Amino acid sequence: MRQWGPTTRRGPDLRTDTTPVRAPRRGRSRRWLLGASAVVLVAAGAATAVVLLDPADSAGTVTTAPTTPAPTTTAPTTTAPTTTAPTTTAPTTTAPTTTAPTPRTPPSTPPEPAPPPAPPTFDRSRLSIDAPDSIWVVVDKLRSLAPIDYRPADLVDVGGGYQLRSEAARAMTEMLAEAAAAGLVISVESAFRPYDHQQRLFANAVARFGEDGAEQRSARPGFSEHQTGLAADLGGGGCHIESCFATTAEGQWVAANAHRFGFLVRYPDGSQGITGYKFEPWHVRYVGVELATELHDTGVATLEDFFGLPAAPEYAG
């Protein structure tokens, strides 16, 4: 505890007063209150009523002074510099990836093109093979004409005094003309033969070769293709109605081109067991371009084979 001692005070008269004097307590309390109020004003940042005590009021009367907001002083904010430590990134080591080999896909095979539409089937029943006036009529040793003395009504000349049916005659004329344009001279050596004419020929063959020999060389009357008006015997190159015709340029041209005009070599080599006649390269038969081309393109040699008829090597009786 602080001890208060005698204090010497000097007045205007410079006298010395040695009477002990206590320091006034009221003044120090007032200064403490003012200091505390100022601290509160600054800390709170708002207006605070300041209580002033009148020094002349010994009784301690409190006088409230008008409150004046103390100016708020915002201390400048100093931001300490941020020091970012350098980041050291550890190197990333990527393990090599082993990829399994992808199986190779074989190149796709393009789809095969659709096959071309099949050609229409040849209509073998379009024309009769029995009627004597049909250009498809089949006459052999088992199939005679009906009537047996049939004679076509549309015969026309083809030169040399010979006749064929009109359709066959036109085709023959065109064929011989084209052969002539190729430098080949082909002539008609025989064509239509009526029934009675065929009788005389066959009788002569029997007298010369015998009946068996005659039947291999000539047809009986009513069984001859010549009677249809659709068959002809050709000659050229110095060979007429003989097997040598096959060795001539004319005979070879006929074999290669007859189908284009509607003809076929009716008794081909090696077919005697089917047709009943030995090879006759000179004997051609008109059947029309459609059938002749079909036979040529399919390689079918005889009408019997094409129409599914029985072989006719001999007469029935």
Side-chain angles (χ1 to χ4, degrees):
M1 182 175 215
R2 186 175 181 179
Q3 299 292 325
W4 300 93
T7 301
T8 304
R9 290 190 297 180
R10 296 180 182 270
D13 55 3
L14 301 177
R15 293 179 302 177
T16 301
D17 186 358
T18 60
T19 303
V21 179
R22 293 178 64 98
R25 183 178 299 271
R26 182 179 297 178
R28 285 184 300 185
S29 296
R30 191 181 305 160
R31 287 192 301 271
W32 181 87
L33 287 175
L34 288 174
S37 297
V39 170
V40 170
L41 287 175
V42 172
T48 304
V50 178
V51 180
L52 302 177
L53 298 180
D54 186 0
D57 188 356
S58 59
T61 302
V62 178
T63 303
T64 302
T67 303
T68 303
T72 301
T73 303
T74 303
T77 303
T78 303
T79 303
T82 302
T83 303
T84 303
T87 303
T88 303
T89 302
T92 302
T93 303
T94 303
T97 303
T98 302
T99 304
T102 303
R104 296 183 61 184
T105 302
S108 58
T109 303
E112 295 183 1
T121 304
F122 188 88
D123 184 3
R124 303 182 187 211
S125 63
R126 188 171 68 83
L127 297 178
S128 173
I129 61 174
D130 301 315
D133 57 353
S134 170
I135 62 172
W136 287 5
V137 64
V138 178
V139 181
D140 58 26
K141 291 181 178 181
L142 296 179
R143 297 172 59 86
S144 67
L145 288 167
I148 200 166
D149 60 350
Y150 166 77
R151 182 184 179 94
D154 58 344
L155 294 171
V156 297
D157 293 335
V158 290
Y162 300 106
Q163 294 180 315
L164 289 173
R165 290 182 59 182
S166 59
E167 184 178 338
R170 286 194 299 272
M172 179 64 73
T173 300
E174 292 175 3
M175 183 170 70
L176 300 185
E178 187 163 319
L184 304 172
V185 178
I186 301 173
S187 60
V188 176
E189 302 293 330
S190 180
F192 168 69
R193 298 176 194 159
Y195 178 81
D196 56 353
H197 183 74
Q198 191 66 29
Q199 281 182 314
R200 291 192 298 271
L201 286 178
F202 185 73
N204 291 337
V206 170
R208 183 176 179 183
F209 303 107
E211 187 168 355
D212 291 341
E215 288 180 350
Q216 295 179 19
R217 294 170 173 82
S218 182
R220 292 178 181 179
F223 291 84
S224 173
E225 283 201 325
H226 284 280
Q227 193 175 328
T228 66
L230 299 171
D233 294 333
L234 304 177
C239 186
H240 303 274
I241 313 180
E242 294 291 340
S243 59
C244 59
F245 185 67
T247 64
T248 66
E250 289 78 2
Q252 293 170 357
W253 188 92
V254 168
N257 294 280
H259 69 279
R260 299 194 294 111
F261 303 93
F263 291 94
L264 72 148
V265 176
R266 178 67 174 95
Y267 306 126
D269 193 15
S271 299
Q272 186 172 348
I274 298 172
T275 64
Y277 298 98
K278 66 183 182 66
F279 179 39
E280 293 186 5
W282 66 87
H283 182 99
V284 294
R285 159 69 192 275
Y286 182 77
V287 293
V289 173
E290 181 183 19
L291 177 54
T293 301
E294 181 72 8
L295 288 164
H296 176 271
D297 292 349
T298 59
V300 179
T302 69
L303 293 177
E304 287 79 8
D305 286 336
F306 186 78
F307 289 110
L309 299 173
E314 298 178 353
Y315 291 100

